[in-house]
Amino acid sequence: MDILNQLAETFFDWEAMGEVIPKMFAVGLPNTIVLAVVSGIIGTALGMLLALMGISRNAAARWVARIYTDILRGLPPVLTILVIGFGFGPIIRELTGSTSPYPMAIAALSLMSGAYIGEIFRSGIQSVDKGQLEATRALGFSYGSSMRLVVVPQGIRRVLPALVNQFIALIKESSLVFMLGLLATEREIFQIGKDAAANSGNLSPYVAAAIFYLALTIPLTHFVNWIDARMRAGRPEKKEPDEAAAVVGKGAQA
Amino acid sequence: MSEFASGTLTAKNIHLSFGSNHVLRGIDLHVEKGTTASVIGPSGSGKSTLLRVMNRLIEPDQGDILLDGRSVLKDNPDELRRRIGMVFQQFNLFPHKTVAENISLALRKLRGMSKEQARNEALAQLDLVGLKHKADSRPANLSGGQQQRVAIARALAMKPEVMFFDEATSALDPELVKGVLALMTDLAKGGMTMVVVTHEMGFSRNVSDVVTFMDAGVVVESGPPEQLFTDPRTERLQGFLSDVL
């Protein structure tokens, strides 16, 4: 029983948890959400640009997209965040006078997720049947309009589940920005937990942080499954009035 | 009297290569205003490619394309394609749009119609192919035959001067072929200028004014259907007809 008690005290010290939870709501959660959402939006825009460059008829554009994607996807996130945070931080400080590493954290997360999202979009767009482009062009649309109005929207629809998965990864990766030494008001869920754990000598604040992450990621995971299932089955078709009438009629006869 | 603003289409000495593969080797095709030309021949003979060259989805290496006697090779290809409707073997409807939106998209974006105008025009075109009641369905909820009729309505909505049909019935279940062929026959009788690439020998023989037999990138024989089907002059056409009939 000693071992169980010890485990309970280490991981489920309610007092230590209770102390950290208000701070997680007030500071950690908003910061994690801001980091993930802002870099998710920038990453999506960057990803779309990279995808369009990746399938462009211009070889130089294709190469730029390829090299960027290979490098950013090939590096450990920790390394990218450190290099961008510490490498570009001083330059930004000189230009703007701001000492906050927060913008650098968002930049690093955006650049990384842009590379992944670019590949997701590219594969989606390329999976659209070639007949779609041909039919649109046959109506008299230019290549650009055909892509914009018909091909790209279908490609995006197809990769929505993968896109949400990427957003889940982004929420988790946002925990790595603690390495840039954020100001007290800028700390996200993980660092709040980490600080509290260091102060109390107890791991329960980490468990509290874990619960916060799961509360964000598990609903999103199920959202992915829902979109996926709906896309497989298609939107439920409205019953035609006469079919519905036929059902009523049979019921009346019975 | 024609119901359509039909044009005369002429292809002159068309050559096209994909790398070392010489797909079209000097094709001539003349389709008089208001008439139907069918193009028959074995798979890989270049029939479908010829259609794509004539509306410049693929640019020819050599040769000329004339609409109403005027060369169109110097025009903007997008504008040329607005004058030539095309129907595909695989329908190629836009699956993320409703049936009505499939038709109204080009009307709004290319013809500058308002949303309401374009929808009304789309509904009118759907009425002509007997599918007005499906206007708000998605293509995936339609049968193949219905999808192809929507594709025809989509092309007709642009008021084309010429219509291309690229094996329009080849992907259909046998019982659905008839409805699409009947619609194509109506168009032909209504005075539309049509180029029909087809494996339907009955349609070719009974509806078209001129039949062109292609093999290996050349026109082997061309003439009125009676002549080609009852009195084929070349061995290649005789062989082809004995294989398909």
Side-chain angles (χ1 to χ4, degrees), chain A residues 128-143 145-146 148-154 157-158 233 235-238 240 242-243, chain B residues 52 55 57 77-79 81-82 84-86 88 90-97 102 105-107 109-110 133-134 136-138 141 154-155 158:
Chain A
V128 175
D129 184 65
K130 285 200 167 57
Q132 292 290 310
L133 177 62
E134 202 173 42
T136 319
R137 298 224 63 192
L139 283 168
F141 285 98
S142 66
Y143 175 82
S145 306
S146 303
R148 185 167 52 82
L149 294 168
V150 172
V151 179
V152 170
Q154 287 182 58
R157 229 163 264 240
R158 231 168 261 206
R235 185 188 303 244
E237 173 85 329
K238 269 182 291 178
E240 290 187 18
D242 51 26
E243 274 174 52
Chain B
R52 283 161 176 74
N55 72 358
L57 280 171
D78 297 335
E79 275 160 28
R81 285 190 287 266
R82 286 168 211 174
I84 301 179
M86 185 157 183
F88 300 86
Q90 299 298 338
F91 329 134
N92 295 343
L93 293 180
F94 309 137
H96 60 307
K97 295 188 179 293
N102 261 274
L105 180 72
L107 298 176
K109 303 283 177 182
L110 299 177
H133 60 295
K134 292 287 184 187
D136 296 312
S137 294
R138 301 265 162 177
N141 294 315
R154 178 173 71 179
M158 292 294 284

Side-chain angles (χ1 to χ4, degrees), chain A residues 3 13 101 115 150:
Chain A
I3 297 174
D13 180 334
V150 172

Side-chain angles (χ1 to χ4, degrees), chain B residues 57 69 87 96 143 181 217 224 241:
Chain B
L57 280 171
V87 175
H96 60 307
S143 75
L181 286 181
L241 289 176

